[in-house]
Amino acid sequence: MIDVLVVDDDFRVAEINARYVAKVPGFRVAARAHSAAQALATVQRGPIDLVLLDHYLPDQTGLELAHRMREQGHGTDVIMITAAGDVATVQAAMRLGALHYLVKPFTFAALRTRLDSYAALRRTVDRVGGRGIAGQEQVDRIFGALRTAPAPSSSPGLPSGHSEPTADLICRVLHGAGHPLSAHEVAAETGLSRSTAQRYLRHLEQAGRLRLSLRYGDTGRPEHLYAWVAP
């Protein structure tokens, strides 16, 4: 099993990401951390194979944490998972040895693709490592293991005026909730207006990505509830 440390300052996001990791065969969540200090202490206690690292942390940036880990000799692998999409941050992450960089919001399929390629990398290194010396063919195989195919969109065929990242965010919230949510609850979780949430929910339900159910209250008017439908 590959032991994963999930690092995110938002407790809810960390929990969602942990649930995603737990769904991928061969991976398990060893711990969660919500600050750089917590994350570093967890890595020091070990053993942690992989850190899913947010950049925006309350005490240090994720890049500063990655730099401290390297300074202290920790060879723990890092995949950045962050809303920071500027080129300078991406380049700095590459220079610090981040194996992948996933921009929020993202889908479970996108994360699973990165985790699967990471697992393939470890298997390849284990096979080649037994020979002691790697030739060019083996080196190419190691680097090739990290290549990922684009993850399929969770919301294909969006109508004009709809944003794919917004649709992915709604799907992610519903998937992480584990139970049906109303448009009001989705709006609260995503920060969208209720009307915007309703518009996206209606489209995603019609596209077969969500399941619609009704909840009847005292007024007799049913409330629409939406639940994630696994692909």
Side-chain angles (χ1 to χ4, degrees), residues 56-70:
Y56 298 117
L57 300 173
D59 48 351
Q60 280 188 314
T61 67
L63 294 182
E64 289 170 338
L65 171 58
H67 182 68
R68 288 184 64 191
M69 288 168 51
R70 300 299 179 242

Side-chain angles (χ1 to χ4, degrees), residues 48-230:
I48 298 293
D49 300 306
L50 175 66
V51 178
L52 300 186
L53 182 58
D54 187 19
H55 182 57
Y56 298 117
L57 300 173
D59 48 351
Q60 280 188 314
T61 67
L63 294 182
E64 289 170 338
L65 171 58
H67 182 68
R68 288 184 64 191
M69 288 168 51
R70 300 299 179 242
E71 278 188 331
Q72 295 184 13
H74 300 295
T76 308
D77 293 318
V78 171
I79 293 178
M80 296 295 295
I81 297 183
T82 175
D86 59 285
V87 175
T89 303
V90 174
Q91 287 181 322
M94 292 174 64
R95 294 182 181 122
L96 287 170
L99 298 179
H100 281 298
Y101 196 107
L102 196 55
V103 179
K104 298 177 180 177
F106 57 90
T107 63
F108 167 65
L111 177 58
R112 176 162 188 167
T113 299
R114 273 71 178 180
L115 294 180
D116 284 343
S117 74
Y118 174 71
L121 170 67
R122 288 174 61 97
R123 290 192 299 268
T124 303
V125 170
D126 287 343
R127 287 196 299 268
V128 174
R131 304 173 186 174
I133 299 176
Q136 187 62 54
E137 181 181 350
Q138 287 75 35
V139 171
D140 290 343
R141 193 175 302 161
I142 290 172
F143 276 87
L146 278 176
R147 295 180 188 143
T148 60
S153 170
S154 67
S155 50
L158 284 174
S160 176
H162 286 61
S163 160
E164 184 171 320
T166 301
D168 285 345
L169 175 61
I170 290 175
C171 287
R172 182 183 173 196
V173 166
L174 285 166
H175 179 271
H179 57 84
L181 297 177
S182 67
H184 176 76
E185 291 168 326
V186 170
E189 289 289 329
T190 59
L192 300 170
S193 69
R194 184 170 181 174
S195 61
T196 298
Q198 285 177 323
R199 188 170 71 252
Y200 277 85
L201 289 167
R202 191 179 307 112
H203 168 74
L204 292 168
E205 187 269 328
Q206 292 172 350
R209 308 307 300 151
L210 305 179
R211 183 178 67 254
L212 174 63
S213 60
L214 301 178
R215 179 170 61 194
Y216 289 87
D218 296 335
T219 62
R221 183 177 181 181
E223 182 179 29
H224 289 193
L225 299 176
Y226 297 88
W228 169 260
V229 176

